[in-house]
Amino acid sequence: MPLQTLFRNAILRIEEIWKNKRTMHQKKTAKQTECGNPPLMATPVVAGFPSPAEQYIESPLDLNELLVHRPAATFFVRAAGDSMTGAGIRPGDILVVDRSLEARDGSIVIACVDNEFTVKFLRSDGERWYLQPANRKYKPITFSEGMELRIFGVVTAVIHQFVKLSNGKGT
């Protein structure tokens, strides 16, 4: 059988499976989509030649369910500045922060240093704690007598948009 025929048959079979799966989950998906939860593809995307079998869809994706594990202790904050670009945090990104997690050496934290908020890696050299940026243009924040450090939470995720769409409010 020629390759083109095999490929066409595979696409037709996928379309048939897709229709059956869609019918089975139509009510559930419709309700979740009405609530604003877009669907999640069942297989991860490969940065190469796409496979026609990658058309299967799981149930809709709820970003709160994925990113917020302790709702009462979680907040979102928008990043500013470029001191954490090496960690994948860019200006305008939204950080998901969990206040219930214990900050450890290597955690990315939201900290308040002398009443100034910042996001940095929390580091320890065994004798002292310091805040480490992820950009060589910036120096670590070390603490001397009289300086105050408060940790507000641990960053658990970053939401980075490649295309910023208008929300009808001018932003």
Side-chain angles (χ1 to χ4, degrees), residues 15 43 45 69 71 88-89 96 114 135 140 147 149 152:
E15 287 175 352
T43 57
V45 67
H69 302 287
I89 299 173
V96 181
D114 290 338
N135 184 333
M147 289 182 74
L149 167 66
F152 277 82

Side-chain angles (χ1 to χ4, degrees), residues 27-141:
K27 289 183 181 177
K28 180 180 177 186
T29 303
K31 183 177 180 182
Q32 289 175 325
T33 303
E34 285 174 16
C35 298
N37 299 334
L40 171 66
M41 298 304 290
T43 57
V45 67
V46 178
F49 184 75
S51 165
E54 293 177 358
Q55 298 297 320
Y56 300 111
I57 293 185
E58 289 183 3
S59 60
L61 175 64
D62 180 346
L63 289 177
N64 282 315
E65 186 178 312
L66 178 68
L67 301 174
V68 178
H69 302 287
R70 296 169 191 88
T74 301
F75 66 95
F76 300 90
V77 62
R78 193 171 298 276
D82 63 352
S83 69
M84 292 299 286
T85 55
I89 299 173
R90 299 178 182 158
D93 286 353
I94 297 172
L95 309 178
V96 181
V97 183
D98 190 329
R99 294 178 49 145
S100 70
L101 296 177
E102 182 179 338
R104 300 178 189 162
D105 183 25
S107 295
I108 297 177
V109 299
I110 302 297
C112 185
V113 180
D114 290 338
N115 296 317
E116 297 275 334
F117 284 96
T118 189
V119 57
K120 300 283 185 283
F121 282 106
L122 180 65
R123 297 288 188 194
S124 172
D125 62 9
E127 295 179 21
R128 61 187 174 95
W129 290 94
Y130 60 97
L131 297 172
Q132 178 73 46
N135 184 333
R136 292 183 183 184
K137 293 187 336 186
Y138 299 93
K139 294 181 179 181
I141 299 172

Side-chain angles (χ1 to χ4, degrees), residues 141-155:
I141 299 172
T142 57
F143 300 96
S144 57
E145 188 73 32
M147 289 182 74
E148 182 183 7
L149 167 66
R150 289 182 291 169
I151 304 296
F152 277 82
V154 175
V155 176

Side-chain angles (χ1 to χ4, degrees), residues 13 15-25:
R13 177 69 181 130
E15 287 175 352
E16 179 184 328
I17 292 169
W18 170 252
K19 286 178 187 175
N20 289 340
K21 186 169 185 150
R22 187 174 180 144
T23 302
M24 289 178 3
H25 296 289

